[in-house]
């Protein structure tokens, strides 16, 4: 039984992380690995609003947003091998994930044993490669239309008036702690400033009322 005590919610995962090694030492724990794929872009919305970065998430079969990836069986494969396998199933794209892509691992004690330890990875790509991922995910990926309803890009801007863009996106429903993973990563990798995220979260909270 796992004795790890940590909580990874609310955008600040720093409080409740465990290392990759601590997580793997957890006897009887299940493991899930997911990844954020992102790239810089010069593209503009309406020839006016800079898109700045492409950030990929997916619409899952259950109607929730999440990252590509899935359950890994450490007795049969390394976390990174398992994640690469999941990416092949869900994206139809061969990407060899390494330990260097690891960002954080999290076990939420409030969740039952049916909730796995979640390992989060990130990989910066070229815009061209992201487009190839999107193409493969919509055509050759075996899980397309089954486990994965489609890839989506995260809007990072906030439209005039406050609601549209990132605030609206954050108002959707997310699987597990993927919303925290997204918020953490956006700031960690400099894709939005902490101030931009706070403003977006404020608008998002107003939208949910
Ligand atoms: P199957 O092939 O049907 O077993 O699904 P899968 O292996 O692709 O697993 P999935 O991606 O659904 O992830 C397994 C579990 O991890 C989910 O039931 C959630 O509890 C959690 N999970 C899924 N996506 C994410 C994510 O993006 N972030 C986090 N933190 N957890 C996730
Ligand atoms: Mn149009
Ligand atoms: Mn899967
Ligand atoms: Mn999955
Ligand atoms: Mn799976
Ligand atoms: Mn599957």
């Amino acid at each position: 039984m796992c004795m790890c005590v940590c909580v990874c919610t609310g955008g600040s995962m720093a409080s409740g992380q465990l290392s990759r090694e601590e997580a793997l030492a957890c006897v009887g724990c299940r493991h899930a690995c997911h990844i954020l794929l992102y790239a810089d872009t010069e593209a503009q919305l309406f020839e006016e609003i800079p898109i700045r970065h492409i950030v990929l998430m997916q619409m899952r079969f259950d109607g929730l947003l999440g990252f590509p990836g899935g359950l890994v069986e450490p007795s049969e494969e390394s976390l990174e091998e398992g994640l690469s396998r999941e990416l092949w199933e869900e994206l139809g794209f061969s990407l060899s994930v390494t330990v260097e892509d690891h960002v954080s691992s999290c076990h939420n004690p409030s969740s039952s044993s049916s909730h796995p330890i979640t390992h989060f990875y990130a990989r910066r790509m070229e815009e061209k490669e992201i487009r190839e991922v999107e193409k493969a995910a919509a055509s050759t990926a075996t899980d397309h239309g089954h486990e994965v309803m489609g890839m989506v890009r995260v809007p990072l801007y906030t439209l005039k008036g406050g609601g549209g863009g990132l605030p609206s996106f954050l108002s959707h429903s997310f699987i597990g702690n993927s919303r925290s993973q997204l918020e953490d990563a956006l700031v960690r990798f400099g894709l939005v400033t902490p101030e931009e995220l706070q403003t977006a979260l404020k608008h998002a909270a107003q939208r949910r009322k």
Side-chain angles (χ1 to χ4, degrees):
M1 196 56 216
C2 182
M3 302 301 287
C4 329
V5 181
C6 58
V7 192
C8 311
T9 51
S12 140
M13 301 209 304
S15 59
Q17 287 176 32
L18 58 172
S19 73
R20 184 181 170 284
E21 288 67 34
E22 286 169 325
L24 281 172
C26 191
V27 178
C29 284
R30 299 195 314 144
H31 298 265
C33 299
H34 294 87
I35 192 166
L36 174 140
L37 302 176
Y38 67 103
D40 295 342
T41 180
E42 298 293 322
Q44 295 196 335
L45 174 65
F46 310 139
E47 295 176 352
E48 180 186 9
I49 301 165
I51 304 280
R52 295 190 291 176
H53 311 282
I54 301 168
V55 173
L56 290 189
M57 291 194 78
Q58 65 183 19
M59 177 56 70
R60 294 162 43 92
F61 66 94
D62 54 13
L64 301 175
L65 289 164
F67 292 99
L71 292 170
V72 170
E73 185 43 68
S75 64
E76 294 168 9
E77 55 192 352
S78 74
L79 293 177
E80 294 74 24
E81 284 166 353
L83 178 51
S84 302
R85 171 184 53 71
E86 283 289 341
L87 296 182
W88 177 250
E89 296 169 3
E90 298 188 359
L91 302 177
F93 191 88
S94 176
L95 198 135
S96 163
V97 182
T98 74
V99 178
E100 280 171 22
D101 301 313
H102 179 262
V103 176
S104 58
S105 297
C106 164
H107 184 252
N108 190 336
S110 67
S111 60
S112 68
S113 58
S114 68
H115 287 77
I117 292 183
T118 51
H119 303 273
F120 190 55
Y121 293 75
R123 172 74 71 86
R124 186 191 190 102
M125 306 179 95
E126 295 298 326
E127 178 169 7
K128 208 171 105 247
E129 293 176 289
I130 291 274
R131 286 179 179 276
E132 283 166 20
V133 169
E134 290 174 320
K135 231 181 268 175
S139 51
T140 55
T142 53
D143 283 346
H144 179 67
H146 308 277
E147 278 183 41
V148 184
M149 309 310 280
M151 301 307 295
V152 295
R153 294 184 181 195
V154 181
L156 300 182
Y157 44 80
T158 297
L159 298 174
K160 287 197 194 83
L166 187 55
S168 300
F169 189 87
L170 293 173
S171 306
H172 291 302
S173 298
F174 292 75
I175 182 78
N177 60 334
S178 61
R179 191 173 184 269
S180 308
Q181 289 174 329
L182 173 66
E183 292 168 14
D184 175 76
L186 289 182
V187 173
R188 184 190 290 260
F189 299 116
L191 306 179
V192 304
T193 66
E195 294 73 32
E196 285 171 329
L197 178 62
Q198 284 319 310
T199 306
L201 287 173
K202 210 176 65 198
H203 286 300
Q206 283 164 5
R207 285 182 80 84
R208 280 198 299 268
K209 273 182 200 147

